[in-house]
Amino acid sequence: MMRKRGRSILWGVLLGGVVLLGGGMYLLSLPLEVTPFCTYTPSFALYDREGRLLCLLRSPDDAWLIPVPLKEMGKWIPLLAVESEDRRFFSHPGVDFLALGRAIWQNLCARRVVSGASTITTQLVRLVLPRERTLKGKLGEYLLALRLERVLNKEDILESYLNRIPLGGNIKGVEAASWYYFGKSAKDLTLLEAASLVSLFPAPERFRPDKNPEGFLKRRNALLERLCRRGIIAQEAYALYASFPPPIPRGFPRLAYHAAWFLRQTTTSPRVFSSLSFPLEEWLERLLDEALVTLPREITACAVVVENSTGAILAYVGNARFRRDPEQAFVDCLQAPRSPGSTLKPFVYARAFDRGLFVPSSIIADTPFGLRGNVPRNFDEGFRGPVSCEMALALSLNVPAVRVARKVGLEDVLGLLQTLGFSKLQRSADFYGDALVLGGCEVTPLELARAYTALSRLGEAISLSFFREDEGPQNKRVFSPGSAYMVAEILADRFRFNPLPKRTLPTPLCAFKTGTSYGLRDAWTVAYNPRYTVLVWFGDPRGLPHEELVGIRLAAPCALRIMEYLMGRERVWYGCPEDIEWREVCPVSGKIASPCCEGTIPAPFLKGVSPLEVCDLHATSLENPSSPWSGEVQAALGRPDAIPLAIVSPVPGRRYFTLPGASSLRLPLRAEGGKGPIFWFVDGTYAGQSQPGGTLFVSLPPGEHHIIASDKSGQSDTTEVVVSSTAFAKTRRDFGAPLP
């Protein structure tokens, strides 16, 4: 009976074993979805051109995680991880049964948990598919580990584990931890640094070197001692390494923060190796931060440095306040529309040179005459009379710039600016008017930097990029090499305010153009030479005015310091292009010198394009009425009657409104130019007279009105206006007031 019962028990055990074995084999044969083990939710990591981490942005699940291939983890991290966590990793099938048996025996003897049998594979399962720490959970974990090893090789499992392991706070993976603790990639860690990192694996929060240095040293040195016993390091090396203090966490770098955010939105890769330079970016952020110390807190700055040969962005500071006050400095000012001030003037002059309308020596009038009412004024509120185009651009005079733009044609100017990449210029040329060349529009600083590369590359526009290897769209020629060279020579700092001949002076550091927007809201400087283009902007992101915001005083010193940092003691400049020819010109008329001229200076001309007028000024006297000076220049010399008669008020085509309850509108009539008194006629009826530059007031009822002005020499001008009785107007333009 007992024998029969024993056979039954034996058969039951055997049958149960067969069932368990069959069930285990069946479960192991089930397909396993490995995607969760091979995919990550990474942080966005921005690197410089040398592979140094510039900025790390948290992952969508608020972690610091930089997944890298196993081969990019260097020699020591994988080796020490296996040595510390799972010495038989490469020999067991996912579960170390020897370690499991030992742990069971030790725990039974101690009647409590004193030892575990986790492997790297089971820990990976726990990280990816967490479950309760119960016996049932452990059995499921072991089963999944066995199944995982059937579909993934050891290297893939080790890579996934090292990329996910928590290493303190919300830091995950050895790559992110390596940058946090040592400021370098895991592949560049020394044995001591790798051992310090691996010693955190079992309990990263409990043994953090900055919170528990004694506990950290005990764990690290225990790992080093084990390496010494196994012959991986020598006794002398162990003694040396064990004497080192705990590492001080460096934290994650936060350079080029706004560039990182921009690239995170425009690229698909979580790791971007850019054209930025870590040392330059760090220095530039520090420079702008120092420049802001004495300024109101509302003012910030931005800057960009471009490598002209490739269009690569070398440094990108979107908001310099971010360094001290990140919570208030998230606006990327390099991407924000702003008024460009006078920074657009060089493009207009370059186009005028290319069309043969002027040369740098051409004389142009800096006077308020002849601009039909909307008279721009220079920054210093003064006028200089006849000046050369060279001086007008160098001194950033407003009236000559408007005259040049009108000569080129506002439609042509607008088309040129759109070609240069100013995407915010969506209105018509009539909408912008003369204000277009003076900054009465919106551009982004990054667009302006790109446009200036067309000048720095002697007329060839190129796209800007954060990647040196980018080919981008085909480069486009916007200016001739000669016209771009003329502008660079004018803006070069070596003769900005120096009357000496250009060719006798040393090589300049750079050309630069400043700008100050209307109402002191923006301060600009763009500097360039054959190698680099540098843009610096200061302003209030809210668009409010500040008396400190003057380009030449605030932005120019920073831009020139950046150029000095980039160039050191080296000086490079443009060679004279083949389409330039030098001629001797009269310094008074700006035209090619004649035998009658008393002196000459060398001046550049575009071959086959520039006007070749010979100076005829000295063939007559300046008092001779037949003097060949243009009317506007004669006016600047004291002959305003040389200006053609032109009505400047009321402004043609404007609609004017009466005051509420009034039956008529008192309107000023004013004209420029002409000779003698001005006689006014309204709707065919004589209305009175005024002196040149004077004003005659008339009352006009609602309706359309035809106005004529004439002088005693027979000159006349006409205009038409509409007076409306509507009580309210929607825009300033409806009131007849010029837009700012």
Side-chain angles (χ1 to χ4, degrees), residues 210-275:
D210 53 334
K211 293 184 177 181
N212 184 6
E214 294 81 8
F216 168 81
L217 288 176
K218 184 177 179 180
R219 291 197 62 86
R220 185 198 68 184
N221 293 345
L223 175 58
L224 292 172
E225 184 180 10
R226 187 188 311 171
L227 297 177
C228 182
R229 289 200 312 266
R230 290 178 52 79
I232 296 176
I233 61 175
Q235 181 67 36
E236 295 79 7
Y238 162 69
L240 176 63
Y241 292 154
S243 65
F244 276 83
I248 299 175
R250 296 169 178 256
F252 295 113
R254 302 188 76 182
L255 297 175
Y257 179 84
H258 298 88
W261 268 103
F262 174 75
L263 289 170
R264 185 181 196 174
Q265 297 169 354
T266 56
T267 59
T268 57
S269 173
R271 299 178 73 203
V272 171
F273 292 86
S274 69
S275 58

Side-chain angles (χ1 to χ4, degrees), residues 73 136 252 285 468 570 630 698:
M73 297 181 187
K136 180 181 177 181
F252 295 113
E285 292 191 13
R468 296 189 70 179
E570 187 178 7
S630 68
V698 296

